[in-house]
Amino acid sequence: MRLNALPSSYALFASSKFKFTFPVGICIRVRALNTFSSLPTTCHEDHDDLFAPIPTLRHSDNTTNAIERIALRLRNLGLASADHADDDDFLRREWLRPDEVLLPWDKREGEEFEEHEEQQKEKLKKKNANAVTLAEKTLEEEELRRLRTLGMSLKEKVTIPQAGLTRAVLDKIHRQWSNCELVRLKFHELLAQNMKLAHQIVECRTRGLVIWRSGSYMWVYRGRNYQGPMKPIEKEGDDRIPVPSDGDAALLLAKSEAVFWKEENMTPEEVEFNRMLDGFGPRFVEWWGTGILPIDADLLPPTVPGYKTPLRLLPAGMHPRLTNDELTNMRKLAKSLPCHFALGRNRNLQGLASAILRLWEKSLVAKIGVKRGIVNTNNELMAQELKKLTGGTLLLRNKYYIVIYRGKDFVPTSVAAVIAERQEMTKHVQDVEEKVRCKVHDIAPSREDEPKSQAGSLAEFYEAQACWGRDISTEERERMRQEVAKAKNAKLAKKIECKLAVAQAKRLRAEKLLAKIEVSLVPAGPDYDKETITDEERVMFRSVGLRMKAYLPLGIRGVFDGVIENMHLHWRHRELVKLITKQKTLAFVEDTARLLEYESGGILVAIDEIPKGFSLIYYRGKNYRRPMTIRPRNLLTKAKALQRSIAMQRHEALSQHVTELGEKIEKMKKELSEDEF
């Protein structure tokens, strides 16, 4: 018996769960389903060994196809064909190969893909893992657990206002730390939206440790070696922040803050920026951000004696204004810069303007942060005042920042002083030359009979007017004025006629669009065989309908298929339906009510004026039957009804505009005709 094709049920035969017996002497030849060749098999004389348990596979390659697994089992049976000898090398060949053979370049790509997947997994793990805080690094787990348990019992809280960690808030925190080792903070406004920034600011300003944070709340630990508020440390030769004689506490705290920001912890760019701000004034300690503290512009003098707007001189061949690309680049540059100044007042900014002029000698832009939490701050007034005092170009202004560019015509103070000196010198030389010239003219003898020159004098004008000019009378001057007014009116009338032609063309387009939309609108006519109601029923239905709370609003779309559908849906549960329209003219309301009555098949009960507009009450009738299609096909859809409403409004407005222009033209033509006579 020879099998030319492998039956689909051979998998049952290969399984060890089923046992089949064949007559002795029958030879079974199976053609292996492989792409290389077919492997014939023979039966042994001992037929019991044929159906012995399947030996262990010689190849451990995992196959994915069912047919390949069947062929693999057949190859591993070790059956030989009667046509071949036992020592045939054909049977001892390895016909199996791995399912996926990777070439050298494929192996590299596979390895790169696996490395990329591993990198992505590591990134996801790092992203999902919570960042270790400073408190978790410095405190033990038992101590951290004890502090968090203690924080659950805290009831008092310190509210952080919009201005951030001000001096008053820091005093409250230290006052509470004197009694308890924990303080509970509640943030508002912008810091509540960025709690990571608030975390950094709190640890930086208070020198404490944030042990827990959730939402807009935060628990701060004072530390093991807490010794009260930090006192300002005086350094020899540290004169970067001047301390006034009145001993202002804010300036002392500013000095301590300047000591805290050590240059060892800064990048080279931050060190250079910090040193650039050293000579401008005291720092703003209550800064709500991190990094370098800006200059407190409110502590600068409000007026500077002898202050003048700086000299500006544009180089030859340069356009004074910035292009759009230049504006964009400048704004990008200013976005990455820290703030130079922090400002909280609207006027008296001469001290700040003087500092900005000195800053512009080292920087192209000056970035000013508007202080938060201060009453009546107006960034528009600040920007106008600074632009007036400095003459710079305003790049950006909002409720957070003001950025001013020094301009292409900016001249540094030293260069401006040299230019002013040269101008004074040139003027002095010209004055000396003029004096010498006048002295020579006085010394020279003058001839009495020599006529004096009258060029450019008033006498020359009168002489020329007497010879060549003529006097204009009052009547002629009035006539000239009338001609000028007439020409002006004619020009204006021509302009209005052009407007009228444009408006008429627009109205014609609106009429065409409205006619195109109304093609699908085929309103139904009146039904003369309609049910009627008595006067008593009408009064009763009207009183019931006015008391109904449920109603259908009739908006700007007017009557469309959805309104009729909603009426039928209301009549499904009740006999009356009330519609409210906001149309103001009673004639339009009556037309709408008549159209609704024709389309719905109901009976109009009453039209009443109410505070919301007009109410329309309809009765479905005693013999009412719900139609097969409650949404009529002869009306407009909701979208087309909106288009029709907009087109009607446009047509009405254009018609009114055309009428007004026509009346105006007629009036002007009438005035021109009267002036001619």
Side-chain angles (χ1 to χ4, degrees):
M1 181 179 181
R2 185 180 298 274
L3 300 177
N4 294 328
L6 186 66
S8 60
S9 61
Y10 188 77
L12 299 176
F13 165 74
S15 176
S16 60
K17 295 182 180 179
F18 299 93
K19 299 293 183 178
F20 297 93
T21 57
F22 291 90
V24 180
I26 295 178
C27 178
I28 299 175
R29 177 170 294 179
V30 179
R31 181 170 296 172
L33 300 178
N34 198 349
T35 57
F36 294 94
S37 64
S38 61
L39 181 62
T41 60
T42 56
C43 65
H44 296 277
E45 295 179 357
D46 189 3
H47 64 277
D48 293 336
D49 296 336
L50 179 61
F51 298 100
I54 297 174
T56 305
L57 299 180
R58 291 176 295 177
H59 301 279
S60 59
D61 294 336
N62 294 327
T63 56
T64 57
N65 195 355
I67 298 177
E68 292 180 0
R69 289 198 299 269
I70 295 171
L72 181 62
R73 286 178 176 272
L74 291 175
R75 292 192 197 99
N76 286 276
L77 285 175
L79 302 178
S81 175
D83 301 335
H84 296 352
D86 294 338
D87 56 347
D88 191 1
D89 183 59
F90 185 79
L91 294 175
R92 292 194 296 269
R93 293 179 183 177
E94 293 289 341
W95 295 100
L96 296 179
R97 64 180 178 86
D99 294 332
E100 296 181 0
V101 179
L102 294 178
L103 298 174
W105 50 85
D106 295 333
K107 290 182 180 179
R108 295 193 204 101
E109 292 178 358
E111 292 175 358
E112 291 177 358
F113 181 73
E114 291 178 358
E115 291 179 359
H116 179 69
E117 283 188 346
E118 291 178 358
Q119 292 177 0
Q120 292 294 332
K121 289 179 180 178
E122 290 179 359
K123 288 182 180 179
L124 289 175
K125 288 180 181 178
K126 291 180 180 179
K127 187 176 180 180
N128 295 332
N130 295 328
V132 180
T133 61
L134 183 61
E136 294 176 351
K137 292 180 180 179
T138 55
L139 298 178
E140 299 178 356
E141 293 184 4
E142 296 180 358
E143 181 69 11
L144 196 60
R145 196 180 303 112
R146 182 189 69 82
L147 292 173
R148 287 174 178 172
T149 306
L150 178 62
M152 294 179 185
S153 61
L154 291 176
K155 295 183 179 179
E156 297 183 3
K157 64 181 179 181
V158 177
T159 303
I160 309 298
Q162 182 182 4
L165 287 174
T166 61
R167 179 65 188 275
V169 175
L170 287 175
D171 292 341
K172 289 182 182 178
I173 292 173
H174 288 294
R175 198 179 304 119
Q176 191 164 346
W177 270 347
S178 62
N179 300 325
C180 181
E181 55 186 349
L182 284 181
V183 64
R184 182 186 180 195
L185 304 181
K186 167 66 176 175
F187 290 87
H188 293 279
E189 301 294 336
L190 297 175
L191 285 178
Q193 300 174 6
N194 192 353
M195 289 299 290
K196 290 184 179 179
L197 177 62
H199 188 137
Q200 297 176 8
I201 294 173
V202 167
E203 290 187 344
C204 170
R205 298 287 305 282
T206 63
R207 315 309 194 261
L209 296 175
V210 178
I211 62 169
W212 182 81
R213 189 183 81 217
S214 177
S216 59
Y217 286 91
M218 187 182 294
W219 296 344
V220 187
Y221 175 51
R222 66 184 182 185
R224 296 175 181 174
N225 302 324
Y226 176 72
Q227 298 178 356
M230 183 178 178
K231 297 180 180 180
I233 302 173
E234 297 287 343
K235 281 190 177 182
E236 296 181 0
D238 188 6
D239 54 351
R240 292 182 298 175
I241 300 178
V243 180
S245 58
D246 56 355
D248 191 1
L251 294 181
L252 293 176
L253 184 58
K255 193 158 188 176
S256 66
E257 290 287 346
V259 173
F260 176 74
W261 293 104
K262 296 181 180 179
E263 294 185 353
E264 292 81 3
N265 302 329
M266 299 182 184
T267 60
E269 293 80 7
E270 291 177 346
V271 171
E272 183 180 358
F273 188 89
N274 190 32
R275 291 178 180 176
M276 182 180 64
L277 296 181
D278 284 343
F280 293 107
R283 300 298 179 94
F284 179 57
V285 187
E286 298 176 355
W287 178 244
W288 52 87
T290 58
I292 302 170
L293 298 178
I295 304 299
D296 193 349
D298 293 342
L299 298 180
L300 297 176
T303 56
V304 177
Y307 178 81
K308 294 182 181 180
T309 304
L311 173 68
R312 291 188 171 271
L313 186 62
L314 187 68
M318 182 176 289
H319 199 273
R321 293 186 178 181
L322 292 173
T323 62
N324 293 335
D325 294 338
E326 290 174 343
L327 280 172
T328 304
N329 294 333
M330 286 294 174
R331 286 168 183 158
K332 288 181 180 178
L333 174 65
K335 186 177 181 181
S336 59
L337 285 177
C339 283
H340 299 95
F341 303 94
L343 182 61
R345 64 185 180 209
N346 302 329
R347 299 294 186 186
N348 300 325
L349 305 177
Q350 288 187 2
L352 176 59
S354 178
I356 289 175
L357 293 179
R358 285 186 291 156
L359 175 67
W360 277 345
E361 297 179 2
K362 304 177 182 178
S363 175
L364 292 175
V365 296
K367 188 173 182 181
I368 305 161
V370 181
K371 290 185 180 180
R372 303 173 185 175
I374 298 179
V375 184
N376 297 330
T377 55
N378 191 334
N379 56 81
E380 185 176 1
L381 294 178
M382 296 175 184
Q384 290 177 358
E385 185 78 8
L386 290 173
K387 188 176 179 181
K388 179 181 178 182
L389 291 173
T390 61
T393 304
L394 185 64
L395 294 179
L396 177 66
R397 178 188 62 81
N398 53 30
K399 62 180 180 179
Y400 303 119
Y401 301 104
I402 297 173
V403 181
I404 300 180
Y405 172 54
R406 67 182 184 182
K408 297 179 180 179
D409 54 353
F410 173 75
V411 180
T413 308
S414 57
V415 180
V418 173
I419 293 175
E421 185 180 353
R422 291 295 181 91
Q423 289 178 352
E424 290 293 334
M425 187 183 299
T426 305
K427 186 177 179 181
H428 178 68
V429 171
Q430 290 176 353
D431 292 343
V432 171
E433 290 178 355
E434 185 67 22
K435 287 180 181 179
V436 172
R437 189 180 299 109
C438 292
K439 187 182 294 184
V440 172
H441 183 269
D442 294 339
I443 294 174
S446 60
R447 300 176 183 177
E448 295 181 357
D449 56 347
E450 184 179 357
K452 295 182 179 180
S453 176
Q454 296 181 354
S457 61
L458 186 61
E460 182 190 9
F461 170 74
Y462 284 145
E463 185 180 353
Q465 187 73 13
C467 296
W468 310 102
R470 63 184 181 86
D471 295 334
I472 300 174
S473 62
T474 307
E475 296 179 356
E476 189 176 0
R477 183 177 283 105
E478 187 66 26
R479 184 175 56 81
M480 291 172 64
R481 288 178 180 176
Q482 290 178 1
E483 289 179 358
V484 170
K486 185 178 178 181
K488 188 182 293 185
N489 291 337
K491 186 177 180 180
L492 184 60
K494 189 175 181 180
K495 187 176 181 180
I496 294 176
E497 286 179 356
C498 293
K499 287 185 178 181
L500 179 61
V502 173
Q504 288 176 349
K506 289 183 178 180
R507 185 177 64 174
L508 183 61
R509 288 200 299 268
E511 289 176 356
K512 290 181 180 179
L513 179 61
L514 190 59
K516 183 179 179 181
I517 295 173
E518 289 182 346
V519 169
S520 57
L521 176 61
V522 184
D527 186 9
Y528 298 102
D529 188 16
K530 189 175 64 172
E531 182 182 350
T532 59
I533 57 176
T534 61
D535 295 339
E536 292 82 2
E537 290 175 339
R538 188 179 299 276
V539 171
M540 187 267 295
F541 288 148
R542 176 179 176 274
S543 61
V544 172
L546 290 175
R547 290 196 302 269
M548 289 175 60
K549 293 184 178 179
Y551 67 91
L552 292 176
L554 203 63
I556 60 172
R557 293 178 176 86
V559 181
F560 60 98
D561 55 0
V563 177
I564 307 301
E565 180 184 11
N566 288 332
M567 290 179 68
H568 286 293
L569 292 176
H570 271 256
W571 281 339
R572 184 179 180 181
H573 303 286
R574 54 182 69 87
E575 293 181 336
L576 297 177
V577 62
K578 181 170 70 172
L579 293 91
I580 294 180
T581 178
K582 292 185 179 180
Q583 293 176 343
K584 298 180 180 180
T585 309
L586 183 60
F588 292 159
V589 175
E590 290 177 353
D591 293 341
T592 304
R594 196 177 299 112
L595 180 60
L596 285 170
E597 186 178 11
Y598 295 160
E599 295 293 340
S600 64
I603 302 170
L604 178 62
V605 175
I607 301 176
D608 294 298
E609 187 175 1
I610 58 175
K612 294 183 179 180
F614 286 90
S615 68
L616 309 176
I617 301 172
Y618 290 90
Y619 173 55
R620 68 182 183 183
K622 299 176 183 177
N623 302 324
Y624 170 75
R625 286 188 179 182
R626 187 178 179 185
M628 296 295 294
T629 57
I630 60 177
R631 178 174 291 189
R633 302 290 181 86
N634 60 329
L635 294 181
L636 299 176
T637 60
K638 187 176 181 180
K640 287 188 176 181
L642 180 60
Q643 295 178 3
R644 177 175 177 267
S645 174
I646 295 173
M648 289 179 64
Q649 290 179 6
R650 185 184 295 113
H651 182 268
E652 183 180 357
L654 289 171
S655 300
Q656 186 177 359
H657 184 56
V658 167
T659 305
E660 291 177 357
L661 290 178
E663 293 176 355
K664 195 171 183 179
I665 290 174
E666 291 294 333
K667 185 178 178 180
M668 294 181 70
K669 287 182 178 180
K670 187 177 180 180
E671 291 177 355
L672 290 174
S673 61
E674 289 178 356
D675 292 340
E676 290 178 359
F677 292 105

